[in-house]
Amino acid sequence: MTRKLDISNSLQQRAETLFPGGVNSPVRAFRAVGGEPPMIVSGSGARMTDADGNTYIDYVLSWGPLILGHCAPEVVEAVIEATRKGTSFGASTPTEAELAEEVIKAFPSIEMLRFVSSGTEATMSAIRLARAATGRKYIVKFEGCYHGHSDALLVKAGSGVATFGIPGSAGVPEEFVKFTLALPYNDVAALEEAFHKFKNQIACVIIEPVVGNMGCVPPKPGYLESVRSLTTREGSLLILDEVMTGFRVSYGGAQELYGIKPDLTTLGKVIGGGLPVGAYGGPAALMNQISPLGPVYQAGTLSGNPLAMAAGLAMLKTLGKGRRTIYPALNALSAKLVAGITEAGRAAGVEITSNQVGSMFTWFFTNREVFDWDTAASCKTELFGRFHRGMLEAGIWLPASQFEAAFLSTAHTSEDIDTTIAAAQTVFAAMRV
Ligand SMILES: *Cc1c(COP(=O)(O)O)cnc(C)c1O
């Protein structure tokens, strides 16, 4: 079977004259894996359809937000209803408070929060607040973690930055990143050393509690606890970047799963129900330093947008109501998929290992354990590319990079998983030669 992609290809050609690389976010390009990126025209449940009518079982899910699948009826209805009342007012609406209360119920470490329109804005603003609150300049991040594309955070970053093998970004003067320290993930000694070397100068440590942006990489047992106790001891703030993990690895995010209380939390992806939303929050004493109450400026024309708030609220209410069954089911089905494909690869003699936390997972093309950026970077990306192209041809949509996590939604069925594993068996068999 060879898919027809004639319409997609001509649409892609047009896009390439209009957008750099034909895309509005680099991870959507298929440069790292080769092959032609289909243009998507619709989605329903676990599936997406391209412009030529090919359908795919989707394990990208808009890079995480669509935990209920495409066009979840409660989300669609909420957005339509909100749209009829007006798309934006530049004034406060009651839905913002309703969504905030749902977030706070799930994240007891958050007393107050601020909605923004992206994860990038959330992390950038949380860092500004941490610097203001501590009066310190340095920040610590970890190699392979991605916290959006603000200048200070584009240092040894994950996601597209890792995919395209660049150390950071052109256009970011070194003076702008000289206060950013990038340390290896899962390495307590490296963090101890940084705190020693930069005594009383580190404003905050920002971390993906489960990394998704170098592929899925879980924290080693005790690692997050050590990061928490070191930051407390040194008077630095701990920012858990839960843009991906919030409402994903557990309803209350990684902080609930691992029992870690951060100073600040950043959120995005799932809380917007598929519309653009980010948030940062923490104790009132910290959040009161944000404008207009305090001296830390941060604003947004479309922040707390009524459609986005309605979508997020519908999403969180559905997840909240069903959480006792939804999360165990998602995790179990993810485990079945992850094990099925890993075993199929090994049976075919392919070097493969896997990481999974809840419904976030990655198959790494290596025999080594992957626990930080160096081990992730040692994977055979050429094998990943062949796997990706084969799976796409078989109607399975995976992230077009070794260094991105895949996801599951409540719309995926056990039959979808069986279909996906069977496809992988065929692809691996072809990869052996
Ligand atoms: C996706 C992501 C971001 C950036 O969010 P955008 O909405 O793309 O700006 C930040 N941090 C983490 C952990 C993410 O996964």
Side-chain angles (χ1 to χ4, degrees):
M1 178 197 80
T2 309
R3 287 169 308 146
K4 274 180 73 117
L5 281 177
D6 302 347
I7 302 175
S8 271
N9 287 346
S10 72
L11 289 168
Q12 179 64 21
Q13 273 173 16
R14 175 175 69 165
E16 283 176 14
T17 67
L18 299 167
F19 313 116
V23 290
N24 282 304
S25 189
V27 296
R28 296 175 198 169
F30 278 28
R31 307 227 151 188
V33 291
E36 298 157 323
M39 282 273 168
I40 299 302
V41 294
S42 66
S44 175
R47 282 173 171 72
M48 298 196 294
T49 302
D50 72 18
D52 293 272
N54 304 299
T55 64
Y56 305 88
I57 303 179
D58 180 16
Y59 294 101
V60 177
L61 299 166
S62 188
W63 302 94
L66 303 182
I67 195 167
L68 300 177
H70 293 271
C71 290
E74 50 277 76
V75 176
V76 171
E77 288 311 315
V79 173
I80 291 172
E81 202 184 308
T83 306
R84 294 215 164 92
K85 294 183 187 154
T87 56
S88 185
F89 306 108
S92 296
T93 63
T95 326
E96 291 159 62
E98 275 189 72
L99 181 58
E101 282 169 1
E102 289 297 319
V103 172
I104 288 168
K105 253 195 283 169
F107 286 75
S109 70
I110 301 178
E111 283 172 13
M112 287 178 101
L113 55 84
R114 177 57 73 77
F115 285 120
V116 291
S117 299
S118 67
T120 295
E121 285 175 83
T123 56
M124 179 183 79
S125 309
I127 281 173
R128 184 178 301 148
L129 173 56
R131 282 177 161 151
T134 58
R136 300 176 180 182
K137 288 182 183 165
Y138 282 88
I139 62 170
V140 168
K141 76 172 291 285
F142 298 94
E143 295 166 11
C145 287
Y146 178 71
H147 306 290
H149 66 91
S150 70
D151 285 348
L153 290 165
L154 279 181
V155 179
K156 299 200 170 158
S159 188
V161 184
T163 300
F164 304 117
I166 47 181
S169 171
V172 179
E174 61 184 285
E175 291 85 349
F176 285 26
V177 291
K178 75 174 175 198
F179 297 115
T180 303
L181 308 171
L183 307 179
Y185 191 79
N186 267 328
D187 184 341
V188 178
L191 185 59
E192 289 255 25
E193 200 184 306
F195 274 122
H196 180 70
K197 205 165 153 201
F198 296 92
K199 191 82 191 158
N200 297 330
Q201 297 177 73
I202 297 176
C204 64
V205 171
I206 185 166
I207 189 167
E208 286 185 71
V210 175
V211 192
N213 288 293
M214 54 176 143
C216 177
V217 175
K220 286 186 175 169
Y223 176 62
L224 293 175
E225 289 80 354
S226 297
V227 174
R228 175 66 281 185
S229 63
L230 279 174
T231 43
T232 304
R233 189 187 82 193
E234 300 292 334
S236 281
L237 301 188
L238 174 61
I239 304 173
L240 288 189
D241 182 357
E242 300 231 41
V243 169
M244 191 181 287
T245 52
F247 299 97
R248 166 59 70 180
V249 296
S250 147
Y251 190 66
Q255 52 195 269
E256 175 179 77
L257 190 62
Y258 295 101
I260 303 292
K261 190 178 177 197
D263 299 294
L264 291 171
T265 299
T266 53
L267 294 163
K269 299 197 167 110
V270 174
I271 62 162
L275 272 77
V277 181
Y280 63 103
L286 273 175
M287 294 306 290
N288 282 338
Q289 301 192 33
I290 303 290
S291 188
L293 278 187
V296 181
Y297 197 73
Q298 184 272 310
T301 302
L302 291 176
S303 292
N305 174 264
L307 308 194
M309 295 291 108
L313 187 60
M315 180 83 107
L316 297 201
K317 281 202 164 151
T318 304
L319 290 174
K321 249 186 274 157
R323 58 183 296 193
R324 306 250 167 261
T325 51
I326 286 176
Y327 289 93
L330 271 176
N331 299 355
L333 211 51
S334 300
K336 176 180 162 176
L337 174 67
V338 169
I341 290 196
T342 309
E343 282 158 23
R346 292 204 176 128
V350 174
E351 289 174 50
I352 188 169
T353 187
S354 53
N355 283 340
Q356 179 206 349
V357 177
S359 53
M360 270 170 75
F361 43 87
T362 299
W363 296 280
F364 289 102
F365 286 82
T366 174
N367 285 330
R368 296 173 67 184
E369 186 201 351
V370 173
F371 56 86
D372 64 4
W373 171 243
D374 285 346
T375 47
S378 75
C379 290
K380 303 217 161 104
T381 51
E382 189 268 331
L383 284 183
F384 176 84
R386 288 170 69 188
F387 174 65
H388 183 274
R389 291 192 297 276
M391 293 298 272
L392 193 70
E393 186 62 39
I396 312 295
W397 190 280
L398 297 169
S401 165
Q402 174 71 94
F403 308 116
E404 300 280 4
F407 304 95
L408 204 74
S409 79
T410 56
H412 289 79
T413 63
S414 204
E415 291 73 56
D416 292 332
I417 303 306
D418 292 337
T419 304
T420 306
I421 295 171
Q425 283 166 338
T426 309
V427 171
F428 287 137
M431 278 168 68
R432 188 158 28 177
V433 287

